[in-house]
Amino acid sequence: MRELERYYRVLDLEPGASLEEVNQAYKDLAFIWHPDRIPLENQRLREKAQKKLQEINEAREKLRSLKTKHQIPHHSHHSHHSYNSYQPYQHHSPPPPPKKPQTKTTYQSPNPQSANSRSANHQSPNPRSTNSQSANYEPPKPNPDLSGKDFSHANLSNKDLSGRNLSYANLSGANLTDAFMHKVILRGADLSEANLFRANLLLADLREANLRNTNLIGADLSGADLRGADLTGARVRSGDRLLVKLIGANLSGAIMPDGNVHG
């Protein structure tokens, strides 16, 4: 029984939690502690993350086998993704599409003169102008400036907002779950009561941002500039465990969730 309690404690769950809660807790913690989210130069922390990931995986497998051995056939567990054997992320390019065989169609006109005239009719009357239009064409570029825009209570889940200028924008109550916001500019933005669950905010500019009562569980704020930000009441912990990454973040003058000002 003590062993089971230890597994629940590793996943930060109460004893007797459901299988769904076990799986969700595993996903959250595996996301936070995956070694690929830690800079390569910090070998000590990467080794710690690998060890932590093994503990999380063991706890999930033990609790899952206990809860499913009478419910799910034995062979079905192979369909569940596991981080037990850590491998760095690899990106594979899709294979090129097969080339279509080229066929030549030869057409001979009984009247060469008429054939030449038809061919001439299909040529551009001004080839130089066509080439100049092609050379001068530029695809439209997305406008990164969204400063001051109103996105209150908007659903921006899984959106890529990296590098965008959202300074002083209204994002209060917005759903930014799993949003990619690398190097986003959110200076002075209103993010009160927003859901930033598992959001990627690496190197984000959050100076003087309003983060009151914001859900930051699972968010990655490594290297972010949080000087003067207001995090009063923000959700950053589960029990005694900090569940937000703040490696290298600048918190000078920030109001922390407990109301104290960071020195």
Side-chain angles (χ1 to χ4, degrees):
M1 182 60 68
R2 289 183 178 179
E3 192 73 6
L4 284 179
E5 290 179 356
R6 183 175 70 84
Y7 293 141
Y8 281 113
R9 189 164 58 250
V10 167
L11 295 177
D12 201 25
L13 293 170
E14 294 293 330
S18 67
L19 177 60
E20 182 180 354
E21 291 172 324
V22 169
N23 288 333
Q24 187 59 57
Y26 166 78
K27 291 178 183 178
D28 295 346
L29 293 172
F31 177 86
I32 294 170
W33 284 101
H34 200 288
D36 278 357
R37 295 172 59 80
I38 298 171
L40 290 173
E41 59 271 17
N42 197 335
Q43 190 60 33
R44 181 191 64 81
L45 192 56
R46 285 176 67 88
E47 291 175 358
K48 180 179 179 180
Q50 291 182 28
K51 182 179 179 181
K52 188 71 176 178
L53 201 58
Q54 291 175 356
E55 294 176 357
I56 294 167
N57 197 70
E58 179 188 10
R60 180 251 193 176
E61 289 299 320
K62 293 291 185 181
L63 293 174
R64 192 182 155 276
S65 61
L66 174 69
K67 293 176 178 294
T68 61
K69 64 181 179 179
H70 298 302
Q71 301 175 19
I72 303 175
H74 178 70
H75 66 273
S76 66
H77 75 279
H78 294 290
S79 63
H80 289 264
H81 180 67
S82 173
Y83 291 95
N84 193 32
S85 299
Y86 161 65
Q87 294 289 340
Y89 293 139
Q90 297 179 358
H91 301 281
H92 301 282
S93 299
K99 295 183 177 179
K100 296 182 179 180
Q102 297 182 352
T103 58
K104 294 183 178 180
T105 303
T106 303
Y107 171 73
Q108 295 182 352
S109 171
N111 188 343
Q113 184 174 355
S114 63
N116 291 336
S117 63
R118 283 196 301 268
S119 175
N121 289 335
H122 287 289
Q123 294 180 0
S124 172
N126 190 349
R128 183 177 299 177
S129 63
T130 303
N131 293 337
S132 63
Q133 289 176 0
S134 176
N136 294 330
Y137 172 75
E138 292 184 3
K141 297 179 181 179
N143 182 9
D145 190 2
L146 298 171
S147 56
K149 298 292 184 180
D150 186 1
F151 294 104
S152 58
H153 300 282
N155 183 11
L156 301 173
S157 176
N158 292 288
K159 295 292 184 182
D160 186 354
L161 298 169
S162 54
R164 293 297 185 95
N165 181 9
L166 285 156
S167 55
Y168 303 101
N170 183 4
L171 291 152
S172 59
N175 179 15
L176 290 157
T177 301
D178 290 312
F180 188 73
M181 306 172 77
H182 183 217
K183 292 186 177 180
V184 70
I185 302 173
L186 288 162
R187 182 171 184 175
D190 185 0
L191 290 151
S192 57
E193 300 184 357
N195 186 4
L196 286 163
F197 178 66
R198 290 192 309 214
N200 183 331
L201 288 152
L202 273 77
L203 304 175
D205 183 352
L206 286 155
R207 288 173 292 173
E208 296 95 33
N210 180 1
L211 293 159
R212 296 174 69 92
N213 302 313
T214 301
N215 181 16
L216 293 170
I217 297 294
D220 192 343
L221 289 158
S222 301
D225 191 345
L226 288 153
R227 286 176 292 174
D230 187 353
L231 291 98
T232 305
R235 292 181 57 194
V236 296
R237 295 180 178 274
S238 180
D240 294 331
R241 180 170 298 177
L242 182 67
L243 293 179
V244 58
K245 289 184 70 173
L246 291 165
I247 301 171
N250 190 341
L251 291 160
S252 300
I255 304 175
M256 302 309 289
D258 59 3
N260 293 322
V261 178
H262 193 276

